[in-house]
Amino acid sequence: MDHWLPDATVRTRHRRTAAANAADLWQAATAIRLADTRRLGRLVGWRIPGVKASQTYHELFRAYPFSVLEESEHVLVSGLCGRIWTFARDYPDLDGPADFAAWNEPGTVRVAFAHWVRPLADGRSELLSEARVQPIDAHARLRLKAVWAVVGPFERLVGAEPLALAAQRAEA
């Protein structure tokens, strides 16, 4: 994840340990549906066009307005660009990592979302989720700071919800 937006203005990170192997935890994580998460599921459905409650987060991060930036066995990094603070929901359709890296429209941001599982030495595994937001210019930086002042305090309550559910399901 470190090469995607290393100089981001906003960074969030969540982690959850589970008494399960990496494959089982990743499988549980990729099966979480928006409907399974009350707060985050509603928020995503409100902010992103065309999503359905029955959709998994794994499907969400692999379709418009997201673009897959990196993927391997237990890793998925996706990105989107645009004016995330508006209600217009007019995100550009990015065609992969090169479009994401080249994005430079004034007044917008680039956002990278990474989700991955790593095995721990004791047979357990850890599910991690990280988001990074990078403004393109000073105007976007000001808009982002204003939005983050309102949204930021609640991020901890909302962002960890799918990880806890995935850990619980992997352990069952």
Side-chain angles (χ1 to χ4, degrees), residues 43-153:
L43 180 64
V44 170
W46 177 63
R47 291 298 300 149
I48 299 176
V51 299
K52 296 175 179 63
S54 62
Q55 189 173 5
T56 67
Y57 284 94
H58 194 67
E59 292 166 339
L60 172 75
F61 284 113
R62 300 175 57 73
Y64 175 83
F66 298 96
S67 181
V68 173
L69 305 178
E70 182 179 329
E71 186 172 22
S72 61
E73 186 179 11
H74 299 135
V75 174
L76 178 63
V77 181
S78 300
L80 67 78
C81 299
R83 292 174 183 85
I84 61 173
W85 44 81
T86 70
F87 292 107
R89 299 192 241 176
D90 57 348
Y91 304 108
D93 192 2
L94 301 174
D95 190 24
D99 277 3
F100 180 82
W103 183 261
N104 199 28
E105 184 175 322
T108 64
V109 296
R110 293 190 294 169
V111 185
F113 296 92
H115 306 93
W116 72 101
V117 170
R118 63 180 175 202
L120 301 174
D122 61 2
R124 297 178 307 144
S125 298
E126 185 174 46
L127 176 60
L128 298 103
S129 176
E130 187 169 334
R132 296 182 183 186
V133 186
Q134 178 189 56
I136 298 300
D137 58 12
H139 179 71
R141 184 173 283 104
L142 289 173
R143 298 296 292 270
L144 177 60
K145 285 184 178 185
V147 167
W148 194 247
V150 174
V151 175

Side-chain angles (χ1 to χ4, degrees), residues 14-16 40 155-165:
H14 298 276
R15 64 178 64 200
R16 187 63 171 234
L40 184 57
E155 191 278 331
R156 282 269 174 254
L157 298 172
V158 175
E161 192 177 14
L163 280 73
L165 187 55

